[in-house]
Amino acid sequence: KIRGNSMAIKINFDNSFSNLPNKFYYKIFPEKTKSPNLIILNQNLCNELNLDYKDLSSSEGVNFLSGNSVLKNSNPLAMVYAGHQFGNWVPQLGDGRALLLGEVIAKNNVRYDIQLKGSGRTPYSRGGDGKAWLGPVIREYLVSEYMNKINIPTTRSLSAITTGDKVFRETELPGAILCRVAKSHIRVGTFQYFYSREDTKSLKILADYFIKNHFPNLEKKENKYFELFKNVVDGQIDLVAKWMKVGFIHGVMNTDNTSISCETIDYGPCAFIDNYKSDKVFSSIDSMGRYCYKNQPNILMWNMACFATTLVPLLEGTEEKKVDILQKEISSISEKYKNKWLLEFSKKIGLKKIYQENEVLINRFLEILESENLDFTNSFRGLIKEAENSNELISKTDAFKSWKNDWKKLIKNKSNQKEVCKTITSNNPAFIMRNHLVEQIIQELLTDKKDTLNKALVCIEKPFEKIKHYEKMYVGPTKEQEVLRTFCGT
Ligand code: AMP
Ligand code: MG
């Protein structure tokens, strides 16, 4: 079954998922690609994962990253899962266009999955072709690496390549493959898959596997599955609060896109808000606004309730007691989230602590942004100049003047100008991987231009500062550039 001859490429795969029972996956090789070509290879990530950058950028490396050659110690497989998509139950999903090649232990001693996305059909492809085109691959690469740089937990991107094959969507497009790296690809939907089949034995194997790899300190704990639940809830609260902080709209918060390792996963129709609108939706298929900006914390709770359900068979105690403790945990989400949100947004306006006045002040600021159609990122960042009493104003309206007055009083009372500016600077990125830039980069790549891509890669490296001569990378879109609709990355 060995394919290819990538003897020069050496990766210390250490595959634990493929040792789980057959029910968890389907072992299958990636499809061959015609003429793979490297667009981006992530040098920092190679280093973190102990992978040789030079080897991977060689033609043999590119063959590996395109799935053309499969290493002897790799064990490619498509993971199975189920999930609620837009609230509707789908009993079977799974990696329909992705394959797990194996796992590596990184320099930080953490285990990471190495996956190809866009590598061809699997038994879980349903009607799909198992492929990806250049657009979604580039979007995922840029946005995920950006998220990592602004300290938001996320899957990573090791490489983006074009395959030389055509992919058919509404038109013919260049095929591409992303090499995705994650602490885990286990989702709420993976638990739901076994729960819905009343397969408690597999459910336990799954939970034990996850605990062993990700929360080894829970292994000996009493009621470890409840402890697992609490940890995942806390991780998801942290994650969604961080999304809200930077105006990120995930777009498809289905349970199959909700990672148990609490990393942002599946950059399909995602986008960052430009002009602030609390019920902003980008995704073309989210017609009801289920996954709009302000609804993300509610959906987090909904998804955690789905996860809780799957754990009932594993918990100890009477049915009543089990449901009761899970219910209590779910009910605590909204207050925990609120506190996290309040702390993160307090920092955005320059305050490291939560004072009584903060909440009203933050909400008033957001109302001003919304009613005056102002840019989310640049307005928060603009508070630096406001704190310095510069004449670069966020707004000239009376509402803003009055807000500024109250804000100034508070920051004077609780902190000092230098501290406030420092806090605003480190909590509001100057650079946001805006959707109109992503679109521009994709359009340029279609004609083999890399100008904006290269600029974006530089900006991503230092998101909290403005790079000289790159002014255009920091402004919101013009009316013509504005992207109104985004699409799932198929
Ligand atoms: P998503 O909402 O993008 O996470 O995808 C939902 C499901 O559709 C997953 O099971 C994917 O593997 C599958 N899927 C998405 N795009 C394709 C494709 N082009 N070919 C096969 N399966 C796909
Ligand atoms: Mg998905």
Side-chain angles (χ1 to χ4, degrees), residues 81 85 93-98 121 124-132 169 187 252 254 256-257 266 268 488-490:
Y81 48 86
Q85 297 186 311
L93 291 158
D95 293 333
R97 57 173 155 169
R121 285 182 56 81
Y124 314 124
S125 298
R126 298 177 293 165
D129 60 0
K131 303 258 170 89
R169 296 293 177 257
R187 307 130 195 273
V252 246
N254 293 334
D256 55 303
N257 293 334
D266 271 0
C488 275
T490 51

Side-chain angles (χ1 to χ4, degrees), residues 156-366:
R156 303 285 306 274
S157 297
L158 181 65
S159 61
I161 59 146
T162 46
T163 58
D165 296 311
K166 293 284 171 224
V167 167
F168 299 91
R169 296 293 177 257
E170 264 141 39
T171 52
E172 201 182 77
L173 294 158
I177 293 177
L178 181 85
C179 183
R180 175 161 76 176
V181 176
K183 285 186 183 149
S184 167
H185 285 89
I186 295 172
R187 307 130 195 273
V188 168
T190 321
F191 281 80
Q192 289 180 301
Y193 178 83
F194 293 112
Y195 171 79
S196 65
R197 281 159 181 77
E198 296 180 25
D199 184 351
T200 307
K201 194 176 153 207
S202 300
L203 201 56
K204 187 169 177 312
I205 293 173
L206 180 68
D208 287 339
Y209 172 81
F210 192 83
I211 289 172
K212 181 166 178 259
N213 281 333
H214 299 275
F215 297 114
N217 56 326
L218 298 185
E219 270 187 304
K220 298 240 147 50
K221 283 228 165 147
E222 235 179 89
N223 230 349
K224 61 180 169 183
Y225 304 114
F226 182 59
E227 293 295 322
L228 168 68
F229 181 63
K230 287 203 292 193
N231 274 282
V232 174
V233 164
D234 288 347
Q236 287 289 339
I237 290 172
D238 179 69
L239 182 64
V240 175
K242 285 177 174 161
W243 289 354
M244 299 300 277
K245 185 177 178 180
V246 293
F248 178 75
I249 305 176
H250 181 281
V252 246
M253 286 177 75
N254 293 334
T255 58
D256 55 303
N257 293 334
T258 304
S259 139
I260 303 297
S261 52
C262 300
E263 296 165 291
T264 311
I265 188 169
D266 271 0
Y267 292 88
C270 68
F272 294 92
I273 290 189
D274 296 303
N275 286 356
Y276 181 65
K277 202 167 163 284
S278 61
D279 60 356
K280 184 74 188 166
V281 177
F282 288 100
S283 171
S284 61
I285 53 170
D286 191 4
S287 52
M288 307 289 281
R290 180 181 168 88
Y291 300 138
C292 74
Y293 177 74
K294 70 173 176 196
N295 215 21
Q296 296 187 120
N298 298 327
I299 295 295
L300 145 76
M301 201 151 45
W302 200 92
N303 288 346
M304 287 301 97
C306 288
F307 183 39
T309 308
T310 71
L311 295 175
V312 173
L314 300 183
L315 297 194
E316 287 151 30
T318 61
E319 203 70 10
E320 207 182 350
K321 186 166 163 250
K322 293 197 271 191
V323 173
D324 186 52
I325 59 165
L326 288 167
Q327 189 58 58
K328 278 211 181 88
E329 194 60 30
I330 293 164
S331 307
S332 74
I333 292 178
S334 75
E335 200 186 322
K336 279 193 204 157
Y337 168 78
K338 169 91 180 287
N339 285 331
K340 180 86 194 155
W341 174 89
L342 195 49
L343 180 62
E344 295 304 332
F345 274 72
S346 294
K347 292 189 232 162
K348 279 177 85 67
I349 62 166
L351 295 162
K352 281 194 210 141
K353 283 198 195 135
I354 300 175
Y355 302 103
Q356 204 201 331
E357 298 91 332
N358 291 16
E359 188 177 351
V360 172
L361 212 52
I362 294 161
N363 282 324
R364 271 174 66 200
F365 188 65
L366 289 171

Side-chain angles (χ1 to χ4, degrees), residues 3 6 9 11-19 25-31 51 56 60-79 95 98-104 112-119 158-159 161 177-182 185:
R3 199 172 84 191
S6 302
I9 307 295
I11 295 179
N12 285 328
F13 278 123
D14 181 90
N15 303 332
S16 61
F17 195 86
S18 67
N19 292 327
Y25 49 74
Y26 188 90
K27 289 192 175 169
I28 183 171
F29 273 43
E31 278 175 32
L51 304 176
L56 282 183
E60 287 184 76
V62 176
N63 265 326
F64 164 74
L65 293 169
S66 74
N68 263 355
S69 18
V70 174
L71 304 194
K72 286 194 178 121
N73 59 354
S74 158
N75 219 336
L77 59 86
M79 290 165 78
D95 293 333
L99 287 180
L100 176 65
L101 294 179
E103 301 142 36
V104 295
Y112 285 93
D113 286 357
I114 309 279
Q115 201 198 52
L116 295 185
K117 193 170 171 185
S119 54
L158 181 65
S159 61
I161 59 146
I177 293 177
L178 181 85
C179 183
R180 175 161 76 176
V181 176
H185 285 89

